Amino acid sequence: MSGTGFPGFADPVLDAQAAFRAVLAAMSRPGQVQRLPPLPEPPPGLSPAAAALLLTLADSGTPLCLAAGPEAEAWVRFHCGAPFAAAGAAAFVLDPAARLGDLFPGTEEEPERGATLLLDVAALESAPGWRLSGPGIRDSQALRVTGAPPGFLADWAANRRRAPCGVDVVLCAGDAIAALPRSVAIEEG
Amino acid sequence: MSHDPGYNFAYLDESTKRMIRRAILKAVAIPGHQVPFGSREMPLPYGWGTGGIQVTAAILGPTDVLKVIDQGSDDTTNAVSIRAFFRRVAGVATTERTAEASIIQTRHRIPERALREDQILVYQVPIPEPLGRLEPRIAETRRMHAMADYGLMHVKLYEDIARHGHIATSYSYPVMVNGRYLMSPSPIPAFDNPKMDQMPALQLFGAGREKRIYAVPPYTSVKSLDFDDHPFRPIRAPQTCELCGSRDTYLDEVLTDDVGGRIFVCSDTDFCTERQAVREAAE
Amino acid sequence: MYVATKGGERAIGAAHAWLAEVRRGNPDLPELTAAQVEAQLGLAVDRVMAEGSCHDRGLAALAVKQARGDLIEAAFLLRAYRTTLPRFGASTPLDTNAMALQRRISATYKDLPGGQVLGPTFDYTHRLLDFCLAAAGGSPGGAPEAEASTAPSPRVTEMLAREGLMQREAPVEAEPGDLTREPLSFPADRPLRLQALARGDEGFLLSLGYSTQRGYGGNHPFVGEIRMGEVAVGFTPPELGFEIDLGDITVTECQMVNQFKGSRTEPPQFTRGYGLVFGHGERKAMSMALVDRALRAEELGEAATAPAQQQEFVLSHCDNVEATGFVEHLKLPHYVDFQSELENVRTMRASVEAGR
């Protein structure tokens, strides 16, 4: 194995399918916490969930902005082949310093080109903290996020105002994820 | 069951699946917006469900239970053919029972039985563009969607009312999704439109020949276009199902002779079979 | 009821068994081999490769046999196979200038360097059924052979360009799009348009090209040059870093010379319509060149009013695999929608009756 000592999925076909269904469920039901199939061992700098998402979704067709250290870069190069790009030009962004407003939001005619931000946080729980509403949510959905970047909710409100353009976010903690599609409204409490 | 070793699981190669999966996620994030995707030639012809097949192939896993219907029936030839395709290339379990399925691929109907949160409904879509009959140029309709400029469609419906006294669209009846995008519900009868609104199941739409994927997340507003003084009115044959006695399901008219003899039966064959069983048990 | 009865799976199986039997035909006659199709129905094979957009004579011949000679069905078979193949990369551009010519004609000059080479053509044959071919056996006496010419055959369009009379094509450094991977979006640039036309239906392009000659977007075309022959396919594997020769393929190229009155930015000069297809496909290459030029109307500042000049119209409808699928899908049951229309028409008739 050249360039990285860290493996990908044990079963590249079926693990990717299971991970995709988890992220599809997460995106369809914003704020609901989903579990990803675990990786044998992710490279340093990547959470198991973020690594699994990259294996599932990123490839040579998706410019990636990655700020997770050289071992993560080598691992991505080997397993995904995604070309590296600046935050504003990337389809997937995994950079704790990236602000929503700096990422490509798509265009009015092609809002689907808006970036997806993979954001590592400390913990995700289905408990009061944020109150989410919007498509995919029956009434409201509670999500407690530990370790979201400062100012995230204000950035999110600005992101929502660009609808139908905008950035979609997948929060990652360990092997758990929760998604925030651009359509979702977030209130505290 | 195992899948045909000559092909990758669920037929598509992994890079194609990733491309389709990315399109599906964006479609879910932007309810009702048509996402272009690099539709592939499938071993079935364009127009015969290649969009639905590609969506199903991209989401399907070995533990899924797949149901395929065409016109509401599991035994129509194309439904049989698609079901056999997935049995062969994915080795998945298939069912004719709506309640047992985790993925339901459909052409032209929504099952009568209310779908659940743990189910996904995949529609085969021939023409994804709801404005296409009014404006055939894709560059132009794309601009209209960007501007949410749907005046053309309202004018068309209004002309229907002026001419016929009511909206004369009985299938592919356009809907507004989440108050933003005008969307084709695929050629389901307008009777089925209300089932899309606030549906607990995820709805995915695949148009292979036109290379578009779109989606309605669960619990999302889907409103059939209408006017205050001419509210949307789902149409069904006003008869009773000959087999199960249903009065509130969508019926097929079946000719029994050439002198006007006809009966009406449920188009959703699984629902009808279940009702018949309930009726027999009660007798 | 052809639907509510169970047994769809059995019926399909039986229908396909019948198809196989009909395909084989009279078993007293020897079975046609794919190799025979490849050798003796070569133009059918060429057309299937072009519209199937996959250069493989053996597979195309197999597809023709499997499709019972239905060439659109055969192109579909080849496309569906092609889409499952892994991609190793893109070849370097073909150099048709270096073609080993079997045929090369120009209608714009009586004679020209390299000469006119008729090659194996139907042109100037009298279309009289040859009953000798109906009798089996016998091979034609070989065609007379001449020394292969070593004289270079420069392109007609290049000779005009040197004089400033032919618009030069601006070289494009950008990687061309790939319409088999990304859906077409409009407006489509010329590389994408040419891709779509190259795999487009010969009949559709023929009729559209013909329409331009009859005044629907005409550009007074002359056949600058048609050449057919073998060209080398080169590929540069990234791990090697130098080009390797993958072998030769036969292609047909047509360069149409079209009048252009000039615009605000361009002086009057000739412009080019370009056609290139796999195999020997002269009618297709010429039609493609006519339609390519018609589709350049907008960039050349011409009024784009005719069907052949509307790129959405042409590119969205030229693919026969898409077209045949959607036209033929009308065979599928549509009774649910028809029922809703029945109820709709009944309602409308009732309200008309009531109003009387």
Side-chain angles (χ1 to χ4, degrees), chain B residues 7 11 13 15-16 36-48 70-71 73 75-78 80-81 84 87 96 107-109 126-127 136-140 142 164 166 168-171 187-189 209 211-212 233 235-238 250-254 262 264-265 267, chain C residues 1-12 16 51-53 73 76 79-85 179-187 199 310 312 316 319 321-344 346-348 351:
Chain B
Y7 295 96
Y11 183 77
D13 60 277
S15 103
T16 297
F37 80 110
S39 178
R40 304 291 194 248
E41 274 101 358
M42 298 299 286
L44 282 77
Y46 283 124
W48 297 53
D70 186 342
Q71 314 293 299
S73 162
D75 207 44
T76 37
T77 40
N78 205 43
V80 168
S81 160
R87 262 207 308 270
E96 300 192 357
R107 175 168 172 264
H108 294 194
R109 274 310 311 271
I127 296 187
R137 290 169 298 178
I138 296 167
E140 191 54 26
R142 204 169 67 164
H164 308 294
H166 63 100
T169 301
S170 58
Y171 63 94
I188 57 172
R209 190 180 42 80
K211 305 170 179 60
R212 296 289 184 279
R233 202 168 48 104
I235 306 174
R236 69 180 281 279
Y250 193 79
L251 302 179
D252 299 334
E253 182 171 334
V254 181
R262 68 197 63 202
F264 289 82
V265 296
S267 123
Chain C
M1 278 161 75
Y2 80 108
V3 165
T5 48
K6 293 278 171 187
E9 203 145 358
R10 241 184 29 239
I12 291 173
H16 294 170
E51 293 169 11
S53 67
E73 177 70 19
F76 177 24
R79 288 258 195 109
Y81 177 76
R82 170 194 196 277
T83 195
T84 65
L85 300 176
L179 61 82
T180 68
R181 300 277 122 174
E182 296 285 330
L184 265 184
S185 64
F186 299 105
R199 49 193 246 145
Q310 321 255 324
E312 269 215 49
S316 302
D319 190 297
V321 175
E322 288 176 10
T324 196
F326 201 47
V327 167
E328 295 199 50
H329 108 286
L330 293 171
K331 290 183 283 195
L332 293 178
H334 282 77
Y335 57 81
V336 160
D337 292 344
F338 185 69
Q339 185 66 40
S340 68
E341 283 292 87
L342 272 178
E343 293 306 325
N344 194 19
R346 281 176 182 144
T347 310
M348 287 197 281
S351 65

Side-chain angles (χ1 to χ4, degrees), chain B residues 13-32:
Chain B
D13 60 277
E14 290 302 299
S15 103
T16 297
K17 283 185 197 168
R18 270 193 300 275
M19 175 272 296
I20 296 173
R21 286 167 178 168
R22 291 193 295 261
I24 291 173
L25 290 179
K26 288 301 173 191
V28 170
I30 315 166

Side-chain angles (χ1 to χ4, degrees), chain B residues 124-158:
Chain B
Q124 299 172 201
V125 181
I127 296 187
E129 181 48 70
L131 299 162
R133 291 217 177 144
L134 308 173
E135 171 52 73
R137 290 169 298 178
I138 296 167
E140 191 54 26
T141 53
R142 204 169 67 164
R143 191 197 59 78
M144 291 175 171
H145 286 294
M147 314 290 287
D149 173 6
Y150 299 131
L152 201 58
M153 183 56 87
H154 283 104
V155 169
K156 191 256 174 201
L157 296 180
Y158 187 77

Side-chain angles (χ1 to χ4, degrees), chain C residues 118-132:
Chain C
L118 281 183
T121 179
F122 291 124
D123 295 352
Y124 318 113
T125 61
H126 298 143
R127 268 59 170 209
L128 302 170
L129 276 176
D130 180 355
F131 294 104
C132 297

